[in-house]
Amino acid sequence: MTTMTDTALAEFKMPDVGEGLTEAEILKWYVAPGDTVTDGQVVCEVETAKAAVELPIPFNGVVRELRFPEGTTVDVGQVIIAVDVSGGATAPAPAAATAPETAAPAEASAPAQATAPAEETAPEGRQPVLVGYGVAASSTKRRARKTDATGVNGTAEAAPAAPAAEPVPAPSPAARPDLNGHAPRPLAKPPVRKLAKDLGVDLATVTPSGPDGIITREDVHAAVAPARPEAPAPQAAPAAPAAPAQAAPVREPAPATGTAVVTDARETRIPVKGVRKATAQAMVGSAFSAPHVTEFVTVDVTRTMKLIEEIKRDPAEYGFEGLRVNPLLLISKALLVAIKRNPAVNATWDEANQEIVQKHYVNLGIAAATPRGLIVPNIKDAHAKTLPELAESLGELVTTARAGKTSPGAMQGGTVTITNVGVFGVDTGTPILNPGESAILAVGSIKLQPWVHKGKVKPRQVTTLALSFDHRLVDGELGSKVLADVAAILEQPKRLMTWS
């Protein structure tokens, strides 16, 4: 994702760091104008809808300009940093923008770059210097085809230069005629179109600021801003000050993460972005597309807890030396065995092809609460792991999630999920399916309760399990069998040997 100019100024563009993502937020810059960078050096950390990722730069040189400040959401393909690769000791460009309002002029302030065609120099295949296995070359070519009639990357000033051949009034700078000669259609990505629809904004009336005349989220918000109530003018009521409850909202300085906060005396508004935005979209999509059914069972897990304590006392004897053994480990193994006994539950619904796709592998998702929000990384091929191997994978998953280093790939391809709400002291819940999956198991807290055991009421360790499943492909009988098998294993863990 690199563009070279005639002045030996290399431009590094925001790459697609996770399988088709369209944007990422710049969390932190590790360099400043004037700093020397080397090939492979990490220059910034960005947050996508899935994870936080560090971006290395693919060349040597001196940083001339940071195009966007921290906290700015940038579309994939936009230039985020310019580096002088000529080897000269020239003075750096002015410091990076310090507010989101200055980000747009930063791109328009380089006429030499706007007049020279920006030829892509990326080789075929993937660039190994980028995150993971690099970015596909096709991802850098899509934008090159989106040019206006002048052949120059469109901006708000370049659009009027197009030939005025249409008899209709001048369209919005973001609009252009389609191939069939129909009315011009504003250029905007699907998420931006949805935002405009939700806010009631007509994209034809919005002035674009993005590359190639594309309307951005900021443009849509700017179009809504005039419609918001303004602070009362002081001269309108000179005799009495405005009541505190009617004071206009005050925009506080952005926190260290770059998240803009609007607050007044009674409420605070926080922009929805990153992991929170992705979670909201996924949960809404799942809840209103898959018919959920949730079943519950309360089970005596005293024997399971005794087995865990026994392993903890002498982990080396059982092959768990250096590994963490906890109830989640045995619950995970119980679910994997239940899936093996009832394989039809491990499937997904293909709406486009009207097919049920049964999976012959289990990528076990574990819902994890992190400072960035809820994420669901998964253990690949969990069905093939022994109990110690599963313990090792769970430990690595939790450690990585708490450090905020979970990769986008670790959150893709899950088939079944476990959410352990018991750690918060609650009995159970009605979990929502992770999109593309057919079942999710919620585990409640394990408590000492009175329980009838061998004809007598005794204190036993008891928990409640809840299994939500997609009723399009999982019938009540199948869902009940899966939940009953999990409960039976936890009640008598010796079944792990006979059933697996």
Side-chain angles (χ1 to χ4, degrees), residues 164-409:
E166 291 291 330
V168 296
S172 164
R176 63 179 180 186
D178 64 17
L179 297 177
N180 297 323
H182 296 149
R185 187 168 183 262
L187 298 179
K189 295 181 178 180
V192 178
R193 292 186 183 278
K194 184 178 184 303
L195 175 64
K197 180 180 179 181
D198 294 342
L199 297 179
V201 176
D202 183 1
L203 288 178
T205 64
V206 178
T207 301
S209 64
D212 305 329
I214 295 177
I215 296 174
T216 65
R217 297 176 184 275
E218 289 72 19
D219 298 334
V220 175
H221 286 298
V224 178
R228 294 178 180 173
E230 299 180 355
Q235 60 271 24
Q246 299 176 353
V250 178
R251 184 173 292 273
E252 295 181 346
T257 58
T259 303
V261 177
V262 180
T263 185
D264 59 19
R266 296 175 63 86
E267 63 183 26
T268 298
R269 293 178 176 269
I270 303 173
V272 178
K273 58 173 64 177
V275 174
R276 172 54 56 194
K277 178 180 177 181
T279 301
Q281 293 174 341
M283 293 299 96
V284 170
S286 176
F288 293 100
S289 62
H292 284 54
V293 173
T294 305
E295 294 185 339
F296 307 88
V297 64
T298 302
V299 57
D300 177 3
V301 295
T302 304
R303 290 188 179 94
T304 292
M305 298 304 294
K306 288 181 177 179
L307 175 60
I308 292 172
E309 292 303 320
E310 184 177 345
I311 296 175
K312 285 182 177 180
R313 282 195 295 268
D314 193 355
E317 180 181 350
Y318 294 94
F320 287 89
E321 188 172 7
L323 300 176
R324 183 178 182 185
V325 179
N326 55 20
L328 180 60
L329 172 61
L330 273 296
I331 293 169
S332 299
K333 191 62 177 179
L335 178 58
L336 292 171
V337 172
I339 293 172
K340 182 179 180 180
R341 288 167 54 86
N342 305 275
V345 75
N346 188 41
T348 187
W349 181 273
D350 187 343
E351 181 67 28
N353 296 315
Q354 287 296 291
E355 295 175 341
I356 294 175
V357 183
Q358 291 192 350
K359 308 294 179 62
H360 304 302
Y361 60 91
V362 181
N363 290 344
L364 181 63
I366 304 295
T370 72
R372 300 185 189 281
L374 176 67
I375 62 174
V376 189
N378 60 77
I379 300 172
K380 309 298 183 187
D381 294 324
H383 67 286
K385 295 182 180 295
T386 63
L387 199 57
E389 290 172 344
L390 189 62
E392 182 179 4
S393 297
L394 278 171
E396 292 174 354
L397 181 148
V398 172
T399 301
T400 303
R402 286 177 177 174
K405 300 298 182 181
T406 303
S407 67

Side-chain angles (χ1 to χ4, degrees), residues 416-435:
V416 177
T417 293
I418 294 177
T419 175
N420 185 11
V421 296
V423 297
F424 304 109
V426 300
D427 293 333
T428 191
T430 54
I432 298 177
L433 294 170
N434 207 29

